[in-house]
Amino acid sequence: MKPFTYQRVKTPQEAAEAAQKHPGAKFIAGGTNLLDLMKHQIETPPHLIDVNHTGLDKITAASDGLRIGALVRNTDLAADARVRRDYPVLSRALLAGASAQLRNKATTAGNLLQRTRCPYFYDTTKPCNKRNPGSGCSAIGGYERNLGILGVSEACIATHPSDMAVAMRVLDAQVETISPDGSQRKIPIADFHRLPGNTPHVDTNLKPGELITHVTLPRPVGGKQTYIKVRDRASYAFAAVSLAAIQLPDGRFQFALGGLAHKPWRVEAAEGKAPQAEQILAGARTTTQTAFKKTLATRLIASVLQGGKA
């Protein structure tokens, strides 16, 4: 781990201003992903800004839904009675992720911002465009089994690892932020994460110094909700394919998929009372190693449509 300076801040505004003053700085809360990346020298921030004391650790009712502080721990969010009652797909997704110990530390914002678990991203002896832009993608033509098939590019086939983000996507959450100049904005979760394109090292549409303060869920939609996660082992593993599904009271379905792309995957145009897996998975680029993912996703969608889960 390389040397760095450390700063503890008391307000979101102070955090954003500190990030502007220290180019390359990183915000730290639970540190469940960032510290590992720093130990491997994949991330080498010269300055860490501790945001744990900024008061963003509350879940509050809002006129249009539920407002979740960026520092709310995954365990607390999954256990919240309002989340379990009105947004069960989110609670189930959170409990499917990581281990209890990690969920006790991991935060809402950190979960959204965690970086890919592509093995080549973590192997500093191999070229990786996410780690070193322009160096190439070792995953393409390499060990691809648990990598992406949708929205991929010639520069990157990595997947986003978050379970929570997939549930947030099917719920149409919004990400609230504050910038160093004090301006605030709301980013629809659909626009928050990016596809790799030619800049796979840029994971989100956050601006330099911009800090996540809250995630807002819309009014409860009711209906049946579920989260299905298929993985290589029963616990403490990332999804090969996951599905967040909602069957609305009027019979329409909403689907978001994980484990397939650089961001949670959702195709609203293919949803409705008779959603088509072929449309949802259109354009999938598979290899002999990853073809099973398309088959598995199709079967998960079929299972929900047939009443097996949702």
Side-chain angles (χ1 to χ4, degrees), residues 20-85:
Q20 186 178 51
K21 294 175 183 176
H22 297 273
K26 292 286 185 179
F27 302 117
I28 187 167
T32 57
N33 186 207
L34 178 59
L35 291 179
D36 282 342
L37 294 173
M38 291 175 66
K39 290 174 184 177
H40 288 285
Q41 295 191 18
I42 296 166
E43 295 273 13
T44 55
H47 188 70
L48 289 184
I49 304 165
D50 186 340
V51 296
N52 280 297
H53 304 276
T54 53
L56 299 175
D57 58 351
K58 303 292 189 298
I59 304 172
T60 56
S63 59
D64 55 351
L66 202 63
R67 197 163 183 242
I68 303 160
L71 296 175
V72 172
R73 308 293 162 166
N74 287 178
T75 295
D76 296 332
L77 183 56
D80 186 89
R82 294 161 294 186
V83 174
R84 294 175 62 192
R85 180 188 67 233

Side-chain angles (χ1 to χ4, degrees), residues 241-283:
V241 180
S242 63
L243 176 66
I246 300 176
Q247 184 178 14
L248 300 169
D250 63 4
R252 290 180 296 119
F253 286 90
Q254 296 177 183
F255 293 123
L257 290 150
L260 301 179
H262 206 253
K263 61 187 291 185
W265 193 260
R266 185 176 174 193
V267 182
E268 285 94 331
E271 297 176 348
K273 292 189 176 181
Q276 299 296 313
E278 294 82 3
Q279 289 179 265
I280 296 172
L281 301 171

